[in-house]
Amino acid sequence: RPLRETLHMTAPDSPTPTNELLGTWFSERDLPDFTKLEPGHFAPALEAAMAEHLAEIEAIAGASAAATFANTIEPLERAGLRLSRTASVFWIMASADTNPALQELERDLSPKFAAHFDKITTNRPLFERVETVWNARDGAGLTDEQARVLERTYESFVRSGAQLEGAERERMSAIKKRLAELGTAFSQNVLADEAAFMLPLHDEADLAGLPDGLRQAMAAAAAERDTDAPYVVTLSRSLIEPFLMFSERRDLREKAYAAWISRGDNGNGTDNNAIIAETLALRKEFADMLGFSTYADYRLANTMAESPANVNELLETVWPHAVGRALEERDSLEAEARRAGQNIEIEGWDWRYWAERVRR
């Protein structure tokens, strides 16, 4: 019995399943009831979805009929609907409404996701079927759209190491898993620094220039934190960006801006420098194994840009014009500051404030 059907089976007298994610919500236009979602719902739902996806993959890879676009590429495109939809809900929750339980789950799931998709791209019988369709593409009578889907599918397997053998394949799998762990750690370190920072504001002098709506939001943020200050600035974009735009206190803008641009770069337990170094080393090894000079070459090979040289050529063409325009804007901001009686050089923490003044 298909896993999808089994998941929906209940005994006649059994209660309705309490895990919203194990229902039939993932069909084309439906969404789960987010008010009923709990962190504990995701792991069993995602594990069931991954198992269902692998079962679909095994059915494609193990088909007895000769490989064609219709019996290999099309079902491969359709496979994993539950996983795709459920994972999307999880990443939305983890990024927009996270909490320690979801963050712990994210650390656990990231390498599992990497391992799951690695099982698919290193499935030798599956790749052989994809390769068979690819090699026969010229006489298959494919539409332009089908030919493009086939090309992208074949490329995705090759770019994931499907042609590697033995120890190289195992090493590639280990690199993918570790990169997934590092990527999650990097983003969570940045998030941790955002959550930890708090700039207390106490009186009207601290609030100079701030509109009522922003003051209300900062008061709400203060109420959620262990502080005696009636208002706080956090590194949430909904607070930090308007604060930098409206606050008349240059000293406070500088403090907030310095904290904002140093997220993950403070030499503490959430510092990302070692993560960056390891990530770069693993990406270089990854690219080497696939025959690319650099990881940038790998990432750009199947894009419109095609190569780092083309990217650099475009940047070098745009750069002097962009710098010239930025300097013009800086001069206009400094002129506005002088009109307001402030003879300053515009710094990063000044730009939004004076740009808003010029705009008004």
Side-chain angles (χ1 to χ4, degrees):
R1 184 182 299 274
L3 178 59
R4 179 177 298 179
E5 186 176 340
T6 303
L7 286 169
H8 303 155
M9 290 178 60
T10 56
D13 58 348
S14 65
T16 301
T18 57
N19 189 336
E20 180 77 8
L21 293 173
L22 290 177
T24 58
W25 65 272
F26 65 94
S27 60
E28 185 177 357
R29 295 180 178 84
D30 292 337
L31 290 171
D33 185 345
F34 280 82
T35 65
K36 296 180 180 179
L37 293 184
E38 299 176 5
H41 290 166
F42 285 104
L46 287 167
E47 288 172 4
M50 283 190 277
E52 178 180 323
H53 190 199
L54 289 180
E56 293 169 331
I57 294 299
E58 289 300 325
I60 299 168
S64 57
T68 65
F69 187 92
N71 67 21
T72 301
I73 306 304
E74 287 186 12
L76 190 57
E77 281 289 295
R78 297 192 184 101
L81 174 61
R82 179 189 290 274
L83 178 59
S84 176
R85 300 275 283 168
T86 307
S88 294
V89 173
F90 173 72
W91 294 121
I92 287 170
M93 296 284 287
S95 61
D97 191 25
T98 193
N99 56 54
L102 285 178
Q103 290 174 352
E104 181 179 358
L105 186 58
E106 186 179 9
R107 290 190 293 271
D108 180 60
L109 285 174
S110 291
K112 288 183 178 179
F113 276 127
H116 171 79
F117 289 103
D118 187 63
K119 288 179 183 178
I120 296 173
T121 55
T122 59
N123 185 315
R124 176 59 66 178
L126 177 64
F127 177 64
E128 288 175 353
R129 290 183 67 82
V130 172
E131 192 171 40
T132 296
V133 180
W134 171 252
N135 290 336
R137 64 191 181 280
D138 291 339
L142 301 178
T143 66
D144 290 344
E145 292 82 3
Q146 290 173 327
R148 182 58 170 159
V149 170
L150 173 59
E151 179 184 15
R152 298 294 285 187
T153 301
Y154 177 74
E155 282 185 351
S156 70
F157 275 85
V158 173
R159 288 169 58 82
S160 296
Q163 294 176 319
L164 299 177
E165 301 285 354
E168 280 194 329
R169 175 177 290 193
E170 293 180 5
R171 177 57 183 162
M172 177 64 77
S173 297
I175 289 174
K176 292 178 187 175
K177 180 180 178 181
R178 182 57 180 159
L179 285 173
E181 294 172 341
L182 292 170
T184 298
F186 182 98
S187 61
Q188 291 195 352
N189 283 345
V190 172
L191 188 62
D193 281 358
E194 287 183 359
F197 177 80
M198 178 179 66
L199 178 63
L201 305 179
H202 296 279
D203 51 34
E204 192 61 32
D206 292 342
L207 301 173
L210 302 183
D212 290 341
L214 180 55
R215 295 186 182 202
Q216 293 170 7
M218 294 191 305
E224 295 173 354
R225 294 177 175 241
D226 184 16
T227 177
D228 295 330
Y231 307 92
V232 298
V233 180
T234 73
L235 298 183
S236 166
R237 284 189 179 272
S238 61
L239 292 182
I240 182 66
E241 290 196 342
F243 179 78
L244 292 172
M245 182 180 294
F246 293 111
S247 176
E248 296 178 2
R249 288 286 300 275
R250 191 183 191 216
D251 58 330
L252 297 180
R253 293 201 310 268
E254 181 178 1
K255 289 181 181 179
Y257 182 82
W260 195 29
I261 66 172
S262 65
R263 292 165 295 167
D265 189 24
N266 292 297
N268 55 11
T270 55
D271 189 276
N272 275 331
N273 284 283
I275 290 175
I276 292 170
E278 185 179 356
T279 297
L280 291 175
L282 289 175
R283 285 180 172 181
K284 180 64 170 70
E285 185 179 357
F286 181 101
D288 289 344
M289 293 176 69
L290 294 178
F292 292 92
S293 298
T294 67
Y295 189 75
D297 286 281
Y298 163 77
R299 286 303 299 266
L300 293 169
N302 67 342
T303 68
M304 184 185 299
E306 295 183 344
S307 71
N310 289 340
V311 171
N312 287 328
E313 182 181 359
L314 174 62
L315 292 177
E316 292 295 338
T317 301
V318 171
W319 179 253
H321 303 286
V323 171
R325 182 63 184 132
L327 293 177
E328 289 177 8
E329 292 182 4
R330 180 204 60 187
D331 291 344
S332 71
L333 302 187
E334 290 184 350
E336 177 66 20
R338 286 193 296 271
R339 283 192 291 272
Q342 297 189 33
N343 188 21
I344 62 172
E345 292 184 3
I346 296 296
E347 302 288 353
W349 51 90
D350 298 316
W351 199 281
R352 288 171 177 81
Y353 175 77
W354 291 106
E356 174 63 12
R357 288 279 296 260
V358 169
R359 187 193 68 81
R360 290 205 301 266

